[in-house]
């Protein structure tokens, strides 16, 4: 279903301002002035680590925002530095002054999308991305052809032939990121709690998660039910995360309104999310719809109910018995979980409650893997460099299993490992907990028996 443009909700055309930005929510000068240019952000900024270029650091981009407010035009050079930002928010975690770079880059991306004339190729790529990824029905229609491509041997043939190297970098990156899809497991609209009802929760089913990782959603529902939650999963569209993170404000707002409508009246205590990027955006609906008199209060109330899966599980405390899983796991912090939402301890605590699991830390855990929403498609070269760096650090843990909370990270790291000729099974936190509660063997998570410690 395409984004709905409802009467009365069309985005107004902002008056043109002086310099880089128009007058519709330009980067906030007060937030800009919070930056004292101390440089604590530099060691955690992926693009600064890659190139050592001041304008490709958070404080450099904040400087560009400032001169843009003062009258500097939004030219190609300025836009390039903004586009190179992954939006990973590692700088927000590192900043001792509490600079709200997340709000600044979000406002700036919206300005770029409204005011910068992209090339024909850039427009075509973005049109393709946003005509596909926020639409789970269209993604599901690709499952058959994608499975045939992977399993028929055509993928191996094309990769060995070298033909993929002749494709545009973005299309080649898309091919490398093709998922190895689990079997279709649709989530029921209502799943009763097991035992005593502790909480009634709504669940985001997602777009890529629903189409390509349905086993993660199924595991999430089973874990929640085992922990005494009634799970409600109404019909829903995209949450708008990709649009929000890419500066497509009106599109993101339309998706957000539809998501609020989908859950209103369901009587849920919380909305549970098992995708880091989606949860981060849904917690910001109040800010996104702050100018909408019909939705501003409703959006703030909705956002207050949003919980990441591990966040909710720690909040509730475990009641379902965890059976042993003798496996060493490397836990990867998804940026929009660790940096944007500040959720780091909860996934580790949830995993640590499983007998036999050893959680191993990944070096440079604060550095993005290069996925970052659609970044690995629109900026494939730096994304690949960051993926290589992350893959090396993952392999150095010598773990049996990589665990994370974001499908984009899984695809990015898997592709980076494959470029190194390495393979490592991967699982979502929900799948690990589900396997433990059900008493499954580590092989159910793809772990080879000869790799299990012991």
């Amino acid at each position: 279903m395409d984004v709905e443009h409802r009467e009365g909700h069309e985005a107004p055309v902002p008056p043109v301002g002086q310099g880089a930005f128009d007058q519709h929510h330009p980067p906030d000068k007060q937030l800009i002035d919070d930056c004292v240019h101390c440089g604590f952000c530099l060691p955690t900024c992926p693009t600064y680590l890659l190139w050592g270029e001041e304008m490709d650091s958070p404080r450099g981009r904040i400087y560009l925002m400032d001169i843009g407010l003062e009258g500097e035009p939004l030219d190609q050079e300025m836009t390039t530095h903004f586009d190179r930002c992954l939006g990973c928010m590692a700088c927000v975690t590192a900043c001792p002054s509490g600079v709200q770079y997340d709000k600044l880059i979000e406002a700036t991306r919206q300005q770029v999308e409204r005011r910068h004339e992209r090339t024909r190729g850039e427009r075509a790529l973005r049109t393709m991305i946003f005509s596909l990824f926020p639409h789970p029905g269209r993604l599901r229609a690709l499952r058959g052809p994608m499975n045939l491509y992977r399993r028929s041997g055509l993928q191996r043939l094309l990769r060995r032939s070298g033909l993929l190297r002749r494709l545009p970098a973005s299309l080649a990156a898309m091919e490398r990121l093709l998922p190895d899809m689990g079997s279709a497991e649709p989530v029921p609209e209502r799943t009763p709690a097991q035992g005593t009802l502790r909480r009634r929760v709504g669940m985001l089913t997602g777009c890529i998660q629903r189409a390509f990782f349905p086993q993660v959603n199924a595991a999430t529902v089973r874990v929640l039910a085992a922990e005494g939650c009634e799970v409600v999963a109404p019909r829903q569209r995209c949450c708008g995360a990709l649009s929000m993170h890419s500066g497509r404000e009106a599109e993101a707002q339309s998706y957000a309104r539809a998501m609020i409508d989908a859950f209103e009246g369901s009587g849920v205590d919380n909305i549970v999310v098992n995708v880091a990027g989606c949860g981060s955006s849904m917690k910001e609906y109040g800010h996104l719809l702050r100018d909408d008199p019909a939705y501003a209060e409703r959006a703030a109330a909705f956002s207050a109910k949003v919980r990441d899966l591990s966040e909710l599980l720690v909040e509730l405390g475990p009641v379902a018995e965890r059976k042993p899983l003798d496996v060493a796991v490397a836990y990867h912090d998804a940026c929009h979980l660790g940096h944007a939402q500040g959720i780091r301890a909860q996934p580790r605590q949830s995993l640590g409650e499983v007998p036999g699991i050893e959680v191993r830390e990944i070096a440079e855990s604060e550095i993005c893997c290069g996925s970052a929403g659609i970044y690995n498609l629109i900026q494939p070269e730096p994304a690949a460099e960051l993926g290589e760096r992350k893959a090396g650090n993952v392999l150095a843990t010598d773990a049996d299993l990589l665990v994370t909370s974001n499908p984009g990270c899984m695809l990015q790291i898997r592709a980076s490992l494959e470029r190194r000729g390495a393979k490592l099974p991967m699982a979502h936190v929900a799948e690990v907990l589900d396997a433990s509660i059900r008493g499954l063997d580590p092989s159910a998570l793809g772990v080879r028996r000869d790799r299990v410690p012991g």
Side-chain angles (χ1 to χ4, degrees):
M1 185 185 297
D2 289 325
V3 175
E4 206 175 345
H5 293 289
R6 305 181 193 180
E7 186 177 351
H9 287 137
E10 290 80 7
V13 178
V16 176
Q18 297 297 315
F21 308 124
D22 60 40
Q23 296 176 31
H24 178 65
H25 295 307
D28 190 324
K29 175 63 174 171
Q30 288 185 320
L31 298 185
I32 287 173
D33 289 344
D34 286 338
C35 178
V36 297
H37 299 272
C38 65
F40 276 86
C41 59
L42 301 183
T44 66
C45 176
T47 51
Y48 186 80
L49 288 178
L50 289 180
W51 305 312
E53 167 60 51
E54 177 68 18
M55 291 303 109
D56 286 317
S57 73
R59 70 179 185 184
R61 294 184 179 107
I62 289 174
Y63 169 78
L64 293 177
M65 296 171 195
D66 200 14
I67 64 172
L69 287 175
E70 292 175 356
E72 194 76 16
L74 185 66
D75 58 16
Q76 181 59 55
E77 183 179 1
M78 185 184 288
T79 298
T80 295
H81 293 303
F82 292 142
D83 282 349
R84 285 176 176 172
C85 175
L86 289 96
C88 68
M89 306 309 160
C91 56
V92 175
T93 299
C95 181
S97 302
V99 175
Q100 297 180 56
Y101 182 81
D102 51 342
K103 295 290 192 297
L104 290 172
I105 193 63
E106 177 187 313
T108 302
R109 289 204 195 284
Q110 292 171 9
Q111 295 282 339
V112 169
E113 290 308 297
R114 284 197 299 269
R115 306 203 66 199
H116 176 67
E117 184 68 23
R118 296 196 179 277
T119 67
R120 183 178 299 177
E122 288 174 327
R123 292 196 302 272
L125 177 61
R126 288 168 186 262
T127 297
M128 179 186 68
I129 289 170
F130 287 98
S131 296
L132 179 62
F133 291 107
H135 302 277
R138 299 174 191 178
L139 292 172
R140 282 197 302 273
L142 292 175
R143 284 179 58 90
M146 287 169 59
N147 272 327
L148 179 63
Y149 173 68
R150 287 183 68 92
R151 296 175 182 176
S152 66
L154 182 59
Q155 183 182 53
R156 290 192 300 274
L157 178 64
L158 284 177
R159 288 185 175 185
R160 289 172 182 169
S161 71
L163 290 175
L164 292 177
R165 290 194 292 270
R166 301 180 186 179
L167 290 176
S170 293
L171 294 181
M174 195 175 296
E175 193 280 337
R176 286 193 297 270
L177 293 165
L178 289 179
D180 188 7
M181 293 169 288
S183 59
E185 296 183 66
V187 171
E189 202 161 310
R190 178 186 173 277
T191 302
Q194 297 175 18
T196 303
L197 176 64
R198 304 172 72 196
R199 198 163 296 189
R200 179 180 170 89
V201 301
M203 178 179 157
L204 177 80
T205 52
C207 299
I208 292 176
Q209 195 84 300
R210 191 189 325 179
F212 296 156
F213 296 91
Q215 74 279 7
V216 174
N217 279 348
T220 300
V221 171
R222 287 192 293 266
V223 170
L224 288 168
E227 294 294 358
C229 295
E230 179 185 0
V231 184
V232 178
R235 293 186 63 182
Q236 55 196 265
R237 296 163 60 197
C238 176
C239 71
L242 291 181
S243 302
M244 187 188 301
H245 296 152
S246 300
R248 299 164 71 96
E249 182 188 28
E251 188 174 76
Q253 289 171 335
S254 183
Y255 282 132
R257 294 184 190 105
M259 187 63 68
I260 293 167
D261 291 343
F263 281 96
E264 274 189 341
S266 63
V268 298
D269 304 304
N270 295 109
I271 295 99
V272 178
V273 186
N274 59 17
V275 179
C278 299
S280 172
S281 294
M282 291 166 69
K283 288 181 177 181
E284 295 295 325
Y285 277 1
H287 181 73
L288 178 67
L289 295 174
R290 63 195 181 281
D291 296 331
D292 188 334
Y295 277 85
E297 289 187 10
R298 295 157 64 189
F302 178 95
S303 292
K305 292 183 177 183
V306 176
R307 299 287 189 279
D308 178 73
L309 171 65
S310 61
E311 183 182 19
L312 180 79
L313 293 177
V314 169
E315 190 177 303
L316 284 173
V319 293
E321 180 188 357
R322 268 65 167 164
K323 301 176 182 68
L325 279 174
D326 292 324
V327 62
V329 306
Y331 178 72
H332 166 68
D333 288 285
C335 293
H336 276 93
L337 192 63
H339 296 310
Q341 298 182 60
I343 296 174
R344 299 179 186 83
Q346 294 93 324
R348 290 171 170 82
Q349 181 175 334
S350 295
L351 292 170
E353 289 165 350
V354 176
I357 277 191
E358 177 193 353
V359 179
R360 296 181 181 175
E361 296 298 328
I362 300 171
E364 297 186 322
S365 61
E366 74 280 5
I367 304 300
C368 184
C369 68
S371 174
I374 64 169
Y375 190 86
N376 51 5
L377 302 180
I378 60 174
Q379 300 281 344
E381 291 85 1
E385 288 187 63
L386 292 169
E388 288 285 325
R389 187 172 183 142
K390 182 64 69 175
N393 286 327
V394 168
L395 291 173
T397 67
D398 197 31
D400 306 302
L401 180 71
L402 177 72
V403 179
T404 189
S405 299
N406 201 60
C409 298
M410 288 187 181
L411 294 176
Q412 173 75 355
I413 297 173
R414 191 205 65 190
S416 300
L417 289 170
E418 286 181 352
R419 280 195 292 269
R420 285 172 162 256
K423 287 188 177 181
L424 184 68
M426 300 183 184
H428 191 282
V429 171
E431 294 178 283
V432 177
L433 299 179
D434 179 52
S436 173
I437 291 170
R438 295 166 68 193
L440 301 181
D441 188 86
S443 61
L445 298 170
V447 176
R448 301 197 313 270
R449 290 184 183 274
D450 61 352
R451 284 280 298 169
V452 177

